[in-house]
Amino acid sequence: MLTFHSELTKLRRARTELDGGLLVTPYECPERVELVLARVLESGLGEVREPAEHGLAPVLAIHDRDYVEFLENCWDDWVAAGRKGEAIAWVWPTRTMPGRVIPEHIDGRLGHYALGADTSICEGTFEAAMASKDVALSAVDHVLATGQPAFGLCRPPGHHAAIDQFGGYCFFNNAAIAAQRALAAGRSRVAVLDIDFHHGNGTQQIFYARDDVLFLSLHGDPRHCFPHFLGHADETGEGSGEGFTVNYPMAPGTGYATWVTALEDAKTRIVEAGCELLVVSLGVDAYEHDPISAFRLASDDFTDVGLRLGQLGLPTVFLLEGGYAVEEIGINAVKVLSGFDGVG
Ligand code: OKS
Ligand code: ZN
């Protein structure tokens, strides 16, 4: 299958991530793109293409304009405030202090638009996020035009990004932007299947009250796992979206036998809902040796995942989400894609 990739996704190279009380070098780094790209090339998966530029209109079909402008200006505002480190949120509206007014000071604005303190904003973040959504859009455009599958080597990832919030290494919700693109192209219902270890809280929020996007997520139980405040099984959608959000929270330590049962249930629901296109939020951090996750999928399981997704017979776009710091990120991502192509 075709891969879409842009060197511009590497324009974000944050130096700091708040992790266990320390500022560490971020897990979500440009080297991830290089590892996956190298594996795509050496595996002979297929041609690699550059995305086209799609501008901001498809972003504004998902995200609020004030949020997009915040992201575009955040780094300059932070530098103008005389700050020395990277932009990290540290004060928030809370249960007892709900924010009614969006603050003007950059510290308050960061808290308004951030879901956590893990994700620093640095120079190049906005530009990389723009390239990442262009990768997603070109990949889905290829699927829409040809019916053939495509892989978007997105980075930064997207599934934690909500209508007006960033965090969990995500800024623009690439999967949501791609799903909306498919609807705009005339598909009447699209499935977003999120197999990243972490719950896709942003994608869920964006489509929660809608029945034109079926969102399904297999993830670590939020009682124990990031993002901690969304992704429970009783979150099933609201209004006309009731029944179009499906969560499969699973305990830390879950292995493939349990995980694949959830995957098969998700496939059944995708078929029953009559979805015409499948967007896969392809995180490979369910891998047993992922440094920040807690499922126990073995490397070879990823081939089987791809094969099972291929059985749906749907036009499918894969968009990279998480998966960290180990060579297996490329190996496992390409195993899913090759398994899908039936050459695993
Ligand atoms: C804090 C760790 C925050 C976890 C972010 C998870 C990102 C991810 N140091 N989402 O799919 O992989
Ligand atoms: Zn993840």
Side-chain angles (χ1 to χ4, degrees):
M1 84 175 67
L2 277 190
T3 294
F4 289 85
H5 156 72
S6 167
E7 286 291 312
L8 301 179
T9 63
K10 296 190 208 159
L11 287 174
R12 169 175 166 81
R13 181 184 285 278
R15 288 180 289 115
T16 50
E17 169 179 343
L18 185 58
D19 186 57
L22 299 173
L23 285 178
V24 304
T25 302
Y27 294 94
E28 204 294 289
C29 56
E31 287 73 20
R32 299 174 63 244
V33 172
E34 287 163 11
L35 285 167
V36 177
L37 183 64
R39 190 64 189 171
V40 164
L41 293 170
E42 77 191 19
S43 72
L45 180 73
E47 191 187 327
V48 177
R49 286 194 192 163
E50 294 241 341
E53 281 184 29
H54 298 266
L56 271 181
V59 175
L60 293 171
I62 294 296
H63 296 286
D64 283 350
R65 182 176 290 276
D66 63 297
Y67 169 67
V68 175
E69 287 173 359
F70 160 78
L71 286 178
E72 184 165 15
N73 299 320
C74 176
W75 178 246
D76 289 345
D77 292 349
W78 182 256
V79 170
R83 297 302 169 64
K84 300 286 177 269
E86 295 183 327
I88 302 177
W90 57 276
V91 60
W92 276 274
T94 62
R95 283 173 293 113
T96 53
M97 185 178 69
R100 287 179 301 106
V101 180
I102 301 178
E104 288 177 28
H105 193 280
I106 186 62
D107 290 353
R109 295 175 68 74
L110 271 166
H112 178 79
Y113 292 113
L115 65 82
D118 52 275
T119 303
S120 309
I121 290 182
C122 60
E123 189 171 19
T125 294
F126 181 76
E127 290 73 14
M130 289 289 279
S132 193
K133 61 84 185 159
D134 281 337
V135 164
L137 284 163
S138 286
V140 76
D141 280 352
H142 179 77
V143 176
L144 288 165
T146 66
Q148 295 300 307
F151 172 46
L153 217 177
C154 295
R155 184 269 164 185
H159 71 152
H160 296 303
I163 290 170
D164 65 352
Q165 267 185 338
F166 74 95
Y169 317 152
C170 303
F171 303 94
F172 292 150
N173 194 310
N174 304 310
I177 290 169
Q180 188 68 39
R181 178 75 151 204
L183 296 172
R187 303 305 181 273
S188 52
R189 184 170 287 148
V190 173
V192 179
L193 174 62
D194 190 326
I195 61 171
D196 186 281
F197 171 77
H198 303 93
H199 179 246
N201 60 285
T203 318
Q204 172 169 315
Q205 185 221 354
I206 288 162
F207 298 120
Y208 205 58
R210 289 170 51 170
D211 64 4
D212 52 355
V213 176
L214 173 66
F215 172 70
L216 316 98
S217 180
L218 282 63
H219 53 269
D221 189 325
R223 288 173 182 81
H224 307 288
C225 307
F226 182 91
H228 291 296
F229 300 104
L230 212 64
H232 299 284
D234 64 356
E235 296 159 14
T236 55
E238 67 186 11
S240 54
E242 183 62 55
F244 291 90
T245 289
V246 187
N247 282 311
Y248 301 90
M250 290 173 272
T254 292
Y256 193 59
T258 301
W259 193 92
V260 83
T261 307
L263 183 72
E264 286 299 330
D265 190 82
K267 283 169 59 183
T268 302
R269 288 172 183 260
I270 290 168
V271 172
E272 283 173 359
C275 297
E276 295 168 347
L277 185 136
L278 174 62
V279 178
V280 179
S281 269
L282 178 60
V284 290
D285 44 11
Y287 177 51
E288 57 186 339
H289 299 308
D290 189 272
I292 66 167
S293 308
F295 284 168
R296 294 194 183 139
L297 270 61
S299 207
D300 283 345
D301 294 333
F302 286 95
T303 306
D304 189 60
V305 173
L307 191 147
R308 287 171 185 268
L309 293 177
Q311 289 165 351
L312 282 168
L314 284 171
T316 301
V317 59
F318 292 90
L319 303 177
L320 188 66
E321 301 280 3
Y324 300 99
V326 288
E327 208 182 331
E328 284 87 346
I329 181 184
I331 293 169
N332 294 344
V334 171
K335 281 192 173 188
V336 174
L337 305 171
S338 312
F340 183 94
D341 277 349
V343 296

